Amino acid sequence: LSVLLVYVDDLSLLTKDEAFHEDFINYLKRQLPIRTIGTPEYFIGLNLQATATGYLLNQQRYIQELASRFDVSHCNSVPSPVIQDVSRYVVPRRGDEAVADQEKYRELIGCLNWISNRSRPDISFATSSLGKHLNNPAERHY
Protein backbone atom coordinates (compact mmCIF):
# COMPACT_ATOMS: atom_id res chain seq x y z
CA LEU A 1 0.00 0.00 0.00
CA SER A 2 1.27 3.44 -0.93
CA VAL A 3 -0.27 6.83 -0.26
CA LEU A 4 0.55 10.02 -2.16
CA LEU A 5 -0.34 13.23 -0.30
CA VAL A 6 -0.64 16.29 -2.55
CA TYR A 7 -1.11 19.87 -1.43
CA VAL A 8 -0.53 22.63 -3.98
CA ASP A 9 3.16 22.09 -4.85
CA ASP A 10 4.03 19.76 -1.96
CA LEU A 11 4.01 16.00 -2.37
CA SER A 12 4.60 13.33 0.21
CA LEU A 13 4.79 9.65 -0.70
CA LEU A 14 4.13 7.17 2.10
CA THR A 15 5.20 3.65 1.19
CA LYS A 16 7.16 0.70 2.50
CA ASP A 17 7.97 -0.44 -1.05
CA GLU A 18 11.49 0.97 -1.59
CA ALA A 19 11.58 -0.02 -5.27
CA PHE A 20 8.31 1.79 -5.97
CA HIS A 21 9.56 4.81 -4.01
CA GLU A 22 12.77 5.03 -6.06
CA ASP A 23 10.94 4.52 -9.38
CA PHE A 24 8.39 7.18 -8.52
CA ILE A 25 11.01 9.75 -7.43
CA ASN A 26 13.12 9.07 -10.54
CA TYR A 27 10.05 9.47 -12.75
CA LEU A 28 9.23 12.82 -11.15
CA LYS A 29 12.84 14.00 -11.49
CA ARG A 30 12.67 13.30 -15.23
CA GLN A 31 9.45 15.32 -15.53
CA LEU A 32 10.22 18.40 -13.43
CA PRO A 33 12.71 19.83 -10.97
CA ILE A 34 12.03 18.44 -7.52
CA ARG A 35 13.72 18.50 -4.14
CA THR A 36 13.49 15.55 -1.78
CA ILE A 37 13.77 16.15 1.95
CA GLY A 38 13.49 12.65 3.38
CA THR A 39 10.91 11.25 5.71
CA PRO A 40 8.34 13.90 6.66
CA GLU A 41 7.26 14.36 10.24
CA TYR A 42 4.80 17.20 9.62
CA PHE A 43 2.79 17.85 6.45
CA ILE A 44 -0.10 20.34 5.94
CA GLY A 45 -1.03 20.36 9.60
CA LEU A 46 -0.67 16.60 10.10
CA ASN A 47 1.91 14.94 12.31
CA LEU A 48 3.15 11.79 10.56
CA GLN A 49 4.68 9.05 12.63
CA ALA A 50 5.96 5.87 10.99
CA THR A 51 5.27 2.66 12.90
CA ALA A 52 6.02 -1.00 12.25
CA THR A 53 2.54 -1.45 10.76
CA GLY A 54 2.05 1.87 8.96
CA TYR A 55 1.63 5.50 9.92
CA LEU A 56 -0.09 7.32 12.74
CA LEU A 57 -1.65 10.66 11.85
CA ASN A 58 -2.67 13.32 14.32
CA GLN A 59 -2.94 17.09 14.46
CA GLN A 60 -1.62 17.72 17.95
CA ARG A 61 0.93 20.34 16.86
CA TYR A 62 -1.59 22.17 14.64
CA ILE A 63 -4.18 22.17 17.47
CA GLN A 64 -1.63 23.55 19.92
CA GLU A 65 -0.68 26.29 17.45
CA LEU A 66 -4.37 27.20 17.06
CA ALA A 67 -4.89 27.25 20.83
CA SER A 68 -2.08 29.81 21.09
CA ARG A 69 -3.25 31.81 18.07
CA PHE A 70 -6.81 32.11 19.38
CA ASP A 71 -5.70 32.59 22.99
CA VAL A 72 -7.50 29.51 24.36
CA SER A 73 -4.45 27.63 25.66
CA HIS A 74 -5.63 28.30 29.21
CA CYS A 75 -9.00 26.56 28.69
CA ASN A 76 -9.72 23.24 30.36
CA SER A 77 -10.00 20.18 28.18
CA VAL A 78 -13.16 18.08 28.23
CA PRO A 79 -13.67 14.40 27.38
CA SER A 80 -16.39 15.29 24.86
CA PRO A 81 -16.69 18.47 22.80
CA VAL A 82 -20.46 18.61 23.42
CA ILE A 83 -21.31 19.40 27.00
CA GLN A 84 -24.57 18.76 28.87
CA ASP A 85 -25.95 22.29 28.35
CA VAL A 86 -25.71 22.33 24.57
CA SER A 87 -28.44 24.99 24.32
CA ARG A 88 -25.88 27.55 25.48
CA TYR A 89 -24.06 27.09 22.18
CA VAL A 90 -26.88 26.50 19.71
CA VAL A 91 -29.15 29.39 20.73
CA PRO A 92 -28.54 32.46 18.52
CA ARG A 93 -27.10 35.66 19.96
CA ARG A 94 -29.70 37.77 21.74
CA GLY A 95 -29.80 41.50 21.11
CA ASP A 96 -28.40 42.39 24.54
CA GLU A 97 -25.39 40.04 24.29
CA ALA A 98 -21.88 41.11 23.37
CA VAL A 99 -20.93 40.38 19.77
CA ALA A 100 -17.79 38.31 19.19
CA ASP A 101 -15.19 39.34 16.62
CA GLN A 102 -16.88 37.94 13.51
CA GLU A 103 -13.71 37.61 11.42
CA LYS A 104 -11.79 35.83 14.17
CA TYR A 105 -14.79 33.58 14.90
CA ARG A 106 -15.09 32.57 11.24
CA GLU A 107 -11.38 31.83 11.08
CA LEU A 108 -11.61 29.64 14.19
CA ILE A 109 -14.61 27.67 12.87
CA GLY A 110 -12.79 27.15 9.55
CA CYS A 111 -9.76 25.79 11.40
CA LEU A 112 -11.96 23.51 13.50
CA ASN A 113 -13.64 22.22 10.33
CA TRP A 114 -10.20 21.44 8.90
CA ILE A 115 -9.35 19.46 12.04
CA SER A 116 -12.68 17.62 12.16
CA ASN A 117 -12.37 16.58 8.51
CA ARG A 118 -8.79 15.30 8.88
CA SER A 119 -8.30 13.63 12.24
CA ARG A 120 -11.01 14.54 14.76
CA PRO A 121 -14.48 13.53 13.55
CA ASP A 122 -15.58 13.62 17.21
CA ILE A 123 -15.70 17.43 17.09
CA SER A 124 -17.80 17.62 13.90
CA PHE A 125 -21.18 18.08 15.62
CA ALA A 126 -19.91 20.76 17.98
CA THR A 127 -18.12 22.57 15.15
CA SER A 128 -21.23 22.41 12.96
CA SER A 129 -23.41 23.73 15.80
CA LEU A 130 -21.07 26.65 16.39
CA GLY A 131 -20.78 27.25 12.64
CA LYS A 132 -24.44 28.23 12.55
CA HIS A 133 -23.50 31.52 14.18
CA LEU A 134 -20.91 32.73 11.64
CA ASN A 135 -22.94 35.83 10.77
CA ASN A 136 -23.84 36.83 14.31
CA PRO A 137 -21.61 35.16 16.94
CA ALA A 138 -21.98 35.94 20.62
CA GLU A 139 -19.04 35.90 23.03
CA ARG A 140 -20.43 32.68 24.58
CA HIS A 141 -20.11 30.92 21.21
CA TYR A 142 -16.42 31.73 21.13
Side-chain angles (χ1 to χ4, degrees):
L1 174 71
S2 298
V3 177
L4 179 64
L5 304 172
V6 180
Y7 184 73
V8 186
D9 62 349
D10 293 327
L11 302 174
S12 186
L13 178 63
L14 308 175
T15 185
K16 290 186 178 224
D17 185 341
E18 289 296 326
F20 175 75
H21 181 266
E22 288 302 316
D23 290 345
F24 185 78
I25 296 299
N26 289 332
Y27 172 78
L28 283 179
K29 284 181 178 178
R30 288 191 304 271
Q31 303 302 316
L32 45 105
I34 66 167
R35 179 174 58 102
T36 58
I37 58 171
T39 304
E41 294 177 4
Y42 190 73
F43 183 73
I44 60 166
L46 289 168
N47 296 336
L48 308 169
Q49 181 182 0
T51 68
T53 58
Y55 288 88
L56 293 176
L57 305 178
N58 71 63
Q59 290 184 287
Q60 183 176 357
R61 178 173 149 189
Y62 181 71
I63 292 168
Q64 289 171 341
E65 289 170 358
L66 287 181
S68 293
R69 186 163 104 206
F70 290 99
D71 194 30
V72 293
S73 299
H74 62 281
C75 294
N76 297 327
S77 63
V78 293
S80 173
V82 179
I83 60 170
Q84 298 280 336
D85 184 17
V86 72
S87 64
R88 175 179 173 198
Y89 301 101
V90 296
V91 174
R93 185 183 74 78
R94 295 180 296 274
D96 61 338
E97 283 187 282
V99 179
D101 180 334
Q102 190 176 37
E103 185 176 328
K104 190 173 181 180
Y105 185 78
R106 287 179 175 183
E107 184 180 354
L108 175 60
I109 296 300
C111 292
L112 292 173
N113 272 326
W114 173 265
I115 293 166
S116 71
N117 287 323
R118 301 308 178 276
S119 65
R120 294 292 307 272
D122 60 313
I123 68 168
S124 294
F125 176 75
T127 302
S128 174
S129 296
L130 292 170
K132 294 175 183 177
H133 308 290
L134 292 176
N135 290 324
N136 196 15
E139 284 293 327
R140 68 183 154 85
H141 296 133
Y142 188 79

